Structure formats: structure tokens, C-alpha cells
């Protein structure tokens, strides 16, 4: 099994189409899509992102990181939200992405999320991260039981 991130984007047409839809209709369509992924056992995470005007940019091109309120790329370059799914193949990820309730002007970029096998297993920092992830999983398991 591999994890894939479905990254939602839209061009100006996609944003205009979204803004014309009743919000309840958008919530229902996304809710049904999310529910289908939960029932299939493939959905690991998913979130929508607030408007880019509420965000900021950290620019690393200088000697010190610079925090600014822009510049942002074109509308089509902005992320609007994401899902992380765990599926058996790239083809299955493409199938789930194709079912997203999105319309003209919307795009999903699908990328595989790195897993343990992508990194040297004997690296100190990779070992620390494995330990941290195991601790987090144990805490989540304890929280679910209480």
C-alpha cells in the first residue's frame, strides 16, 4: 500500500464556478466523496484551506528567511485543499482522484507520499522520526481507548 496526496487547485474559471454554487451543495458533494473514501478504508486525512489572503509566504532566497504576505502565484498555482489516501496502486489513486466532485477549472495534482523505504534505514534522523511516529501512534491508540 502507498499513500498519495490529492492536491486541489483551480483556475479563475474554477474559482468562479465554486463561488456560484450554494455552499450546502458543495458541503454535501464533498461529504459524500469523503464518506465513500472512509467506507472504502482509503482516506487518511483531508482538509480544505482558507483563502490565500489569510496566509503568508516564507521566502528562503535571502540569507535569512523572510515572512511576507505575498507574492502568491497565479490562481491556478494555489492549493485549495488536499486529501491523503492509502491505496494499492497509482492507478487506484487516479481512480479515487477522478471521482472527486470538482468541475471545470478544477485540478487535482496527485503525488505519492514518501514512505520508510525511500530513506536510508540506518540514518540517525530517520530513526528518530520512526521513533517519534511510533510514539504518536501509541498516544493516538491510548486516546482512542479512553
Amino acid at each position: 500500500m502507498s499513500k498519495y496526496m490529492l492536491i486541489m487547485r483551480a483556475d479563475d474559471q474554477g474559482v468562479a464556478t465554486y463561488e456560484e454554487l450554494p455552499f450546502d451543495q458543495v458541503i454535501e458533494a464533498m461529504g459524500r466523496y469523503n464518506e465513500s473514501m472512509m467506507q472504502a478504508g482509503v482516506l487518511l486525512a483531508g482538509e480544505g484551506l482558507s483563502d490565500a489572503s489569510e496566509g503568508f509566504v516564507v521566502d528562503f532566497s535571502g540569507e535569512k528567511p523572510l515572512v511576507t504576505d505575498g507574492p502568491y502565484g497565479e490562481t491556478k498555482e494555489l492549493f485549495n485543499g488536499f486529501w491523503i489516501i492509502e491505496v494499492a496502486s497509482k492507478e487506484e489513486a487516479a481512480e479515487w482522484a477522478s471521482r472527486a466532485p470538482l468541475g471545470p477549472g478544477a485540478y487535482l495534482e496527485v503525488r505519492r507520499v514518501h514512505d520508510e523505504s525511500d530513506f536510508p534505514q540506518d540514518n540517525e534522523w530517520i530513526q528518530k522520526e520512526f521513533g517519534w511516529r511510533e510514539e504518536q501512534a501509541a498516544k493516538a491508540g491510548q486516546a482512542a481507548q479512553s
Side-chain angles (χ1 to χ4, degrees), residues 33-44:
Y33 180 60
N34 292 342
E35 184 176 53
S36 70
M37 290 192 290
M38 285 185 260
Q39 289 175 344
V42 300
L43 182 63
L44 299 179

Side-chain angles (χ1 to χ4, degrees), residues 93-110:
E95 176 61 31
W96 280 107
S98 299
R99 296 180 192 175
L102 303 173
Y107 305 88
L108 282 179
E109 177 181 340
V110 180

Side-chain angles (χ1 to χ4, degrees), residues 37-82:
M37 290 192 290
M38 285 185 260
Q39 289 175 344
V42 300
L43 182 63
L44 299 179
E47 300 290 344
L49 301 177
S50 67
D51 190 88
S53 65
E54 298 178 32
F56 56 88
V57 172
V58 181
D59 183 351
F60 292 89
S61 57
E63 285 186 35
K64 295 172 114 181
L66 177 63
V67 179
T68 68
D69 57 359
Y72 289 100
E74 296 177 41
T75 302
K76 66 183 181 184
E77 297 172 338
L78 299 176
F79 297 163
N80 300 318
F82 68 91

